[in-house]
């Protein structure tokens, strides 16, 4: 398994859980605003990382109660189900982060009961998806993943990182129309200094609040993340 590293404790990545976060290398998208460029460009696995992670998790039972598996794109890895089985065998709840590009693999993982929550990134309005993903994949597989997640019966959320130079308010409205009554988060872009592209910038908190108000007219469960005053 291509584990690039792990965060030993997070109160943010898995809502309602005290969790650890695993970062898996490799991604099939090339989003210019990706803040984990190293996971995309040089996805070389750390030696013995899986054994180290599982040993750590085994020793933290009763302190941690969840594991967030993120990337990169976790579903690229054929051995992901085996890793998730090992994590769940330790008694942990699993949250899976995905870009939604691999609906068949997503369906297989969810139908096998290997995840307890799913978060899917919605990169852009459907007609502008390539502008945010850096590739020519049509929106159809992403829409299929949304449907699979909705039908899974699991807690889930959709989310969009909002980037000046990539998105306009009209784009967020188009996404909100797809989301409807589902949980939806608008995440303020942060320049990590290790991006895949250039020319990206954050919207101000005031601009994010304005976009939020517009999005809520179509997706009433929309909230903000990453602003100085977040909404729940």
């Amino acid at each position: 398994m291509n584990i690039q590293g792990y965060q030993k404790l997070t109160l943010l990545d898995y809502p309602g859980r005290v969790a650890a976060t695993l970062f898996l290398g490799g991604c099939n998208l090339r989003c210019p605003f990706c803040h984990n460029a190293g996971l995309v460009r040089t996805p070389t696995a750390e030696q013995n990382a899986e054994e180290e992670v599982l040993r750590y998790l085994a020793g933290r039972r009763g302190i941690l109660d969840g594991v967030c598996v993120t990337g990169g794109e976790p579903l690229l890895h054929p051995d992901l189900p085996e890793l998730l089985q090992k994590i769940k065998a330790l008694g942990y709840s699993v949250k899976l982060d995905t870009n939604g590009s691999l609906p068949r693999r997503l369906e297989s993982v969810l139908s096998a009961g290997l995840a307890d929550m799913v978060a899917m990134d919605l990169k852009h309005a459907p007609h502008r998806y390539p502008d945010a993903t850096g590739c020519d994949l049509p929106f159809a597989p992403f829409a299929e993943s949304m449907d699979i997640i909705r039908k899974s019966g699991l807690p889930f959320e959709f989310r969009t990182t909002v980037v000046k130079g990539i998105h306009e308010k009209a784009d967020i409205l188009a996404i909100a129309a797809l989301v409807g009554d589902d949980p939806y988060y608008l995440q303020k872009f942060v320049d990590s200094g290790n991006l895949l592209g250039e020319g990206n910038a954050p919207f101000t908190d005031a601009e994010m609040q304005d976009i939020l108000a517009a999005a809520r007219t179509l997706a009433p469960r929309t909230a903000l993340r990453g602003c100085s005053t977040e909404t729940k």
Side-chain angles (χ1 to χ4, degrees):
M1 172 56 69
N2 190 340
I3 296 176
Q4 294 283 297
Y6 65 105
Q7 182 177 347
K8 293 184 176 181
L9 176 67
T10 176
L11 301 177
L12 300 176
D13 292 342
Y14 194 155
R17 300 277 180 174
V18 179
T21 300
L22 306 189
F23 298 93
L24 306 188
C27 189
N28 55 341
L29 306 184
R30 291 296 182 270
C31 306
F33 52 90
C34 177
H35 66 281
N36 283 331
L39 298 181
V40 175
R41 290 193 180 114
T42 56
T44 302
E46 293 188 6
Q47 189 174 10
N48 301 321
E50 182 174 329
E51 292 81 358
E52 177 185 339
V53 166
L54 293 174
R55 189 163 52 247
Y56 171 77
L57 292 176
R60 302 300 283 179
R61 284 180 288 191
I63 300 172
L64 303 177
D65 60 357
V67 177
C68 175
V69 180
T70 188
E73 173 48 53
L75 290 167
L76 283 176
H77 301 282
D79 48 351
L80 177 66
E82 287 77 11
L83 175 63
L84 299 183
Q85 287 172 349
K86 293 174 183 177
I87 293 171
K88 289 188 70 67
L90 291 172
Y92 286 100
S93 179
V94 171
K95 172 176 172 276
L96 177 66
D97 289 354
T98 181
N99 63 31
S101 63
L102 300 166
R104 295 281 69 79
R105 292 191 181 188
L106 175 63
E107 185 174 44
S108 177
V109 166
L110 299 190
S111 64
L114 297 177
D116 303 281
M117 182 179 181
V118 188
M120 176 179 162
D121 293 317
L122 296 174
K123 304 292 188 179
H124 216 313
H127 67 287
R128 294 194 62 195
Y129 232 68
D131 294 345
T133 61
C135 63
D136 292 329
L137 280 175
F139 186 67
F142 302 96
E144 187 175 358
S145 289
M146 292 180 71
D147 190 50
I148 290 167
I149 290 169
R150 284 167 167 152
K151 292 178 178 177
S152 70
L154 298 175
F156 69 90
E157 65 180 44
F158 299 123
R159 58 197 188 186
T160 299
T161 299
V162 187
V163 188
K164 188 173 288 189
I166 300 288
H167 302 102
E168 299 176 1
K169 185 193 293 188
D171 301 315
I172 305 305
L173 286 172
I175 301 171
L178 289 174
V179 169
D181 290 331
D182 297 326
Y184 183 44
Y185 289 89
L186 301 177
Q187 301 179 154
K188 185 178 179 180
F189 168 70
V190 176
D191 187 343
S192 67
N194 186 26
L195 305 178
L196 284 177
E198 299 178 350
N200 303 305
F203 286 88
T204 67
D205 284 4
E207 288 170 329
M208 290 293 293
Q209 290 286 350
D210 180 59
I211 294 170
L212 170 68
R216 279 182 165 174
T217 64
L218 298 171
R221 297 176 69 186
T222 305
L224 293 182
R225 284 183 178 146
C227 295
S228 58
T229 303
E230 297 189 3
T231 59
K232 304 298 183 182

